[in-house]
Amino acid sequence: MRTGHLTVLGSSLLLLAACSAKPQQPVLTFVGVASGTIETPTDGLAFTDRFPTDITSIIGVAAFEHAEEGTQVMASWFMPDDRRPPFGRRMLTVESGALVARFSLAAGGVWEPGPYMLQIHAQTSTGEGEPPLTASGSVRFFVDMTEEEVATYLQEYAAWEEARQQSE
């Protein structure tokens, strides 16, 4: 009888602790791109940063060590040197303890040769009047660029980034 009382008390404390737990910051551990579709099993994806121009289906994947139920995950993909709006932006909500978010990327037709970037931003609400908890990451990928063109681009980008940081 006494054991039953302790069990109920223990369950009540566990329930109280679960109801008062504060949301935790999402922890993003991986951002990658691969040829494939949303249906392609994750272990069947060959992650890369190089694609041919005739690629028809690129998938973006974000993996989390931790993401609360209800965390909003947004993916944006664009050409970083282009002043146009992103080619695409998708939002999904984490459900059922999922730790992998998958996004089908499209370029509005044919992928133009050049550098691209996939950015991931995750946001967990903490309550009214409180700032959200966030995590973000990105990955570059290149469509129909030679190794020499990629190397030149990365050198130019690094020089631009260094100059930008020195001017701040």
Side-chain angles (χ1 to χ4, degrees), residues 49-124:
D49 65 351
R50 308 293 200 286
F51 297 96
T53 304
D54 63 353
I55 187 74
T56 57
S57 183
I58 297 177
I59 185 168
V61 176
F64 295 87
E65 180 179 311
H66 175 79
E68 296 276 332
E69 179 97 6
T71 295
Q72 298 287 313
V73 183
M74 183 175 65
S76 300
W77 56 98
F78 54 92
M79 293 181 92
D81 299 337
D82 200 353
R83 299 216 182 265
R84 290 181 288 183
F87 291 111
R89 187 171 278 145
R90 301 273 191 281
M91 176 96 61
L92 58 82
T93 302
V94 172
E95 296 177 353
S96 304
L99 296 175
V100 176
R102 298 162 57 111
F103 301 89
S104 180
L105 311 184
V110 177
W111 288 89
E112 296 175 32
Y116 291 81
M117 184 169 288
L118 168 63
Q119 285 186 336
I120 301 292
H121 181 77
Q123 179 172 307
T124 300

Side-chain angles (χ1 to χ4, degrees), residues 2-162:
R2 186 174 175 145
T3 304
H5 177 68
L6 289 175
T7 303
V8 171
L9 178 61
S11 298
S12 298
L13 290 174
L14 180 61
L15 180 60
L16 182 60
C19 292
S20 63
K22 288 190 171 199
Q24 295 180 4
Q25 182 161 353
V27 178
L28 184 61
T29 57
F30 175 79
V31 177
V33 288
S35 176
T37 68
I38 296 294
E39 290 80 27
T40 306
T42 305
D43 60 355
L45 295 172
F47 293 98
T48 183
D49 65 351
R50 308 293 200 286
F51 297 96
T53 304
D54 63 353
I55 187 74
T56 57
S57 183
I58 297 177
I59 185 168
V61 176
F64 295 87
E65 180 179 311
H66 175 79
E68 296 276 332
E69 179 97 6
T71 295
Q72 298 287 313
V73 183
M74 183 175 65
S76 300
W77 56 98
F78 54 92
M79 293 181 92
D81 299 337
D82 200 353
R83 299 216 182 265
R84 290 181 288 183
F87 291 111
R89 187 171 278 145
R90 301 273 191 281
M91 176 96 61
L92 58 82
T93 302
V94 172
E95 296 177 353
S96 304
L99 296 175
V100 176
R102 298 162 57 111
F103 301 89
S104 180
L105 311 184
V110 177
W111 288 89
E112 296 175 32
Y116 291 81
M117 184 169 288
L118 168 63
Q119 285 186 336
I120 301 292
H121 181 77
Q123 179 172 307
T124 300
S125 295
T126 56
E128 194 172 317
E130 296 289 323
L133 301 171
T134 62
S136 61
S138 63
V139 65
R140 280 193 189 97
F141 61 101
F142 306 93
V143 173
D144 199 31
M145 291 178 69
T146 65
E147 292 302 317
E148 184 178 316
E149 290 170 327
V150 170
T152 300
Y153 171 79
L154 292 173
Q155 288 171 348
E156 290 173 356
Y157 184 84
W160 174 83
E161 183 66 24
E162 184 178 331

